[in-house]
Amino acid sequence: MIETKGPKGLTRRELLSRATAASASFVVGAGFVAGRDAAWATELTAIKPETFATLVQMARDIYPHDHVGDKYYAAAVKGYDTDDDAGTIELGINDLNAAARNAGYDSYLAMGWERDRVDILRGMENSPFFQQIRGGLVTGLYNQKEVWPLFGYEGESFTKGGYINRGFDDVDWV
Amino acid sequence: MATTFDLNDDSVVVVIGTGAGGGTLANELAQKGVKVVSLEAGGYHEPQDFIQDEWASFGQLAWLDARTTSGDWRVSRDFSGLPAWIVKSVGGSTVHWAGASLRFQEHEWKTRTVYGNVPGASLLDWPIDAAEMDPWYTKAEDKLHVTRTGDRPGLPGNNNFKVFEAGAQALGYQDVHTGRMAIKSQEGPDGTPCQQMGFCFQGCKVAAKWSPSYDEIPKALDTDNYELRTQAHVLKIEHDDSGKVTGVLYADKDGNQQLQKARVVAVAGNSIESPRLLLNSASSMFPDGLANSSGQVGRNYMRHMTASVYAVFDKPVRMWRGTTMAGIITDESRHDPSRGFVGGYEMETLSLGLPFMAAFLNPGGWGRDFTAALDGYENMAGMWLVGEDMPQETNRVSLNTDVLDQYGLPAPNVHFDDHPNDIAMREHAWQQGQAIYNAVGATRTFPTPPYPSTHNLGTNRMSENPRDGVVNKWGQTHDIPNLFVSDGSQFTTGAAENPTLTIVALAIRQADHIAREMAAQNI
């Protein structure tokens, strides 16, 4: 699972001391990927950390919500960190990086503009890999209960007595 | 109470399915003193068991057995293994339904006569009409506590309705209200009224919305005439050398096959499973399946012309709060060929939670064009568009012998091509729906494609002439007098209205007929 580490967890300095690579968004070390602000970190068992960081960026580029933090995208794709799935993911991200190199960049993560990365994704959107990642995100991202409040969605209402006394008709602008 | 019937008791009526048709029929018969065994493929869920979480609820309730699709409808591309979003549970798809309870309009019983010859469509007049159905509709409305019928008040309008109503009025629509809903709108001896929870589709946890699960089956169980068997998945209907049906073979909850003998069998498994069961019951005497001398079993599959419109505004709406579908504009439901199509459509409020909105707003969509829409979720309003689609012989449920279900039986394939009339109606409905929201200041609107079908109709259709359909005006099969069809697959044509009230009215009427015919020893 995704560990959320604040000031009492891994500090930013500690993270960076363990890091072997970093991109604009991520700190990548032996067996882990973390946010640059150390607000979250995830341990990996099967997928290479660089691959996972690229996968998180790909997830954000597919369903970009600027008010939704990377940790939710990391959580949405963490399920692929298994021996069964790792091979497919490594191959797919390899293809993604190869396409980035063909476009003149060192890697997908090295592409600074979302628009350029999306061009790469458009070029592979009918591939089984892209469709697997996109399809999985529909539930992996949007069915995280922690994400719902970021969109205003309130989830279950039964334990609060429904909305009969809590604003089912509180629109005041029509 | 807690009656059980022997498997060899051949005096019982076996009703297959406990949804709007089967659940109603079973209780009505039990109340009349007829012995009934219900076989329900799903399990029993108490209202408190329902889950207000869209995907978790889907996993709890949806019928997810193997199914395949073909044809040019977009559902086949977006949800190839899920042609229909219907329920496997006691109560059937009434657990999931929104509660909209509308009578057919008079002309909708006679569309072949009124619409004339529509090329490519297999339109047919029903062998019954509005006058015949009027008293049965009244009984159904009373049973379902339908708001705005009898002396029952309407539900209050929620946020989604207030936006919808303002847009409708701005456009000059006349008939706009919070719907005729099978959801209790006031305190009374019959139970708790609507608490505006916003999860009608996930099963009503206070049982304010009618479902046989808690409104019909318990009443049947209170008689000495009724047994409910859950997780009893029917495999085949058996018959004797005279061509009468004699019993029903089913797999029980442990997977063991059981044969329940029967005097009468009523099929109510929804419009995909009902024809599939008749086809899977083929024998040397009936090589094309039971009750299929017309070749019409499985044909004329209808799913209503459907679509949605969602719109984002510059201020919050919070459409998910309150009754999911308590809002309707009926102005477009008239038959007015000057719009470029025959038949009409209803516009009804609808909301989805964030998880389902992500799945259904634009299936397959991605990138900022898609996510900007979801960023506006809190400011979003929504409506469903539901209209009459054209029956076509080639739209059909057939057996896919390449795909077997968990019992080794051929899965159903659902083939559907949109008729040009369906497409013209959908385009008109999208345009009007968007105009409604634009009239109250929408900043962006979304003409959203159909979801997996919730209204599955017509695959054992009712006809005057045995050549044209599967059942007569009582839902009795033309070929086999003690075999009945009791669900929406009887529908000759689909009308513009949500079908449940009509299914219930037909089931009440059919119960009357079956009891009368049994008493007269005719069946």
Side-chain angles (χ1 to χ4, degrees), chain B residues 215-226:
Chain B
D215 286 319
E216 302 297 314
I217 303 296
K219 290 174 184 158
L221 288 167
D222 280 343
T223 72
D224 295 325
N225 309 316
Y226 183 68

Side-chain angles (χ1 to χ4, degrees), chain A residues 62-67 114 122 125 130 142 145 151-152 154-155 157-158 163-164 167-171 173, chain B residues 52-53 157-159 162 194-197 199 205 315-316 320-321 358 365-368 370-371 374-375 377:
Chain A
I62 294 174
Y63 289 122
H65 294 286
D66 297 340
H67 66 298
E114 177 186 299
R122 289 268 172 234
E125 72 175 324
F130 179 89
Y142 297 109
K145 285 192 170 64
F151 292 85
E154 297 169 289
S157 70
F158 175 70
Y163 292 102
I164 193 162
F168 77 97
D169 62 349
D170 65 358
V171 158
W173 55 266
Chain B
Q52 292 190 342
D53 175 317
N158 70 349
N159 288 332
K162 287 167 79 173
C194 179
Q195 301 298 299
Q196 303 288 336
M197 292 188 289
F199 286 88
K205 287 179 77 71
K315 300 182 194 68
W320 63 85
R321 293 183 178 181
W366 62 279
R368 283 198 183 264
F370 180 83
T371 55
L374 292 181
D375 285 340
Y377 178 73

Side-chain angles (χ1 to χ4, degrees), chain B residues 128-396:
Chain B
I128 49 181
D129 60 20
E132 161 75 23
M133 289 305 294
D134 177 67
W136 306 104
Y137 268 137
T138 301
K139 287 178 196 288
E141 287 162 348
D142 289 343
K143 179 189 282 290
L144 272 56
H145 302 284
V146 177
T147 60
R148 285 198 175 76
T149 69
D151 57 1
R152 291 167 287 263
L155 288 159
N158 70 349
N159 288 332
N160 201 23
F161 175 74
K162 287 167 79 173
V163 175
F164 176 86
E165 179 188 40
Q169 289 169 346
L171 246 64
Y173 281 131
Q174 299 296 312
D175 193 9
V176 187
H177 55 76
T178 59
R180 283 186 264 283
M181 304 296 292
I183 297 176
K184 288 186 269 294
S185 57
Q186 56 188 350
E187 294 284 351
D190 301 309
T192 307
C194 179
Q195 301 298 299
Q196 303 288 336
M197 292 188 289
F199 286 88
C200 300
F201 285 168
Q202 283 69 38
C204 183
K205 287 179 77 71
V206 298
K209 178 187 81 178
W210 178 84
S211 170
S213 178
Y214 36 79
D215 286 319
E216 302 297 314
I217 303 296
K219 290 174 184 158
L221 288 167
D222 280 343
T223 72
D224 295 325
N225 309 316
Y226 183 68
E227 181 182 353
L228 169 67
R229 294 183 201 155
T230 58
Q231 295 176 278
H233 187 113
V234 175
L235 308 171
K236 188 177 184 188
I237 299 169
E238 306 221 325
H239 65 82
D240 62 18
D241 293 342
S242 76
K244 285 189 178 171
V245 295
T246 54
V248 173
L249 183 72
Y250 67 95
D252 68 17
K253 63 184 188 330
D254 302 315
N256 298 317
Q257 294 197 359
Q258 309 288 352
L259 177 64
Q260 174 63 55
K261 293 198 170 163
R263 178 172 169 186
V264 171
V265 174
V267 184
N270 208 313
S271 292
I272 296 176
E273 293 305 315
S274 289
R276 176 186 179 227
L277 176 61
L278 297 179
L279 295 171
N280 268 333
S281 298
S283 65
S284 54
M285 188 171 180
F286 299 114
D288 298 324
L290 293 187
N292 197 20
S293 66
S294 63
Q296 294 290 305
V297 171
R299 292 189 182 275
N300 311 300
Y301 169 72
M302 296 172 286
R303 52 152 346 262
H304 270 148
M305 182 297 295
T306 66
S308 305
V309 172
Y310 294 95
V312 170
F313 296 84
D314 59 354
K315 300 182 194 68
V317 178
R318 301 187 185 99
M319 66 174 170
W320 63 85
R321 293 183 178 181
T323 325
T324 304
M325 197 175 269
I328 190 167
I329 302 165
T330 68
D331 294 64
E332 299 286 1
S333 67
R334 71 194 188 278
H335 170 58
D336 174 6
S338 72
R339 291 174 298 178
F341 52 89
V342 300
Y345 61 90
E346 309 282 358
M347 312 171 94
E348 299 170 350
T349 55
L350 178 74
S351 73
L352 298 176
L354 182 75
F356 273 11
M357 188 59 71
F360 294 119
L361 178 67
N362 182 18
W366 62 279
R368 283 198 183 264
D369 176 61
F370 180 83
T371 55
L374 292 181
D375 285 340
Y377 178 73
E378 194 169 11
N379 294 7
M380 197 179 269
M383 73 172 79
W384 198 45
L385 304 159
V386 52
E388 180 164 30
D389 60 339
M390 289 296 104
Q392 302 179 73
E393 281 215 334
T394 50
N395 285 347
R396 65 188 293 202

Side-chain angles (χ1 to χ4, degrees), chain B residues 61-63 67 84-88 93 96 269-270 272 453-454 456:
Chain B
L61 298 172
W63 187 291
R67 285 175 173 163
W85 177 6
I86 54 183
V87 171
K88 181 189 277 193
S93 297
H96 156 85
N270 208 313
I272 296 176
S453 314
T454 51
N456 299 275

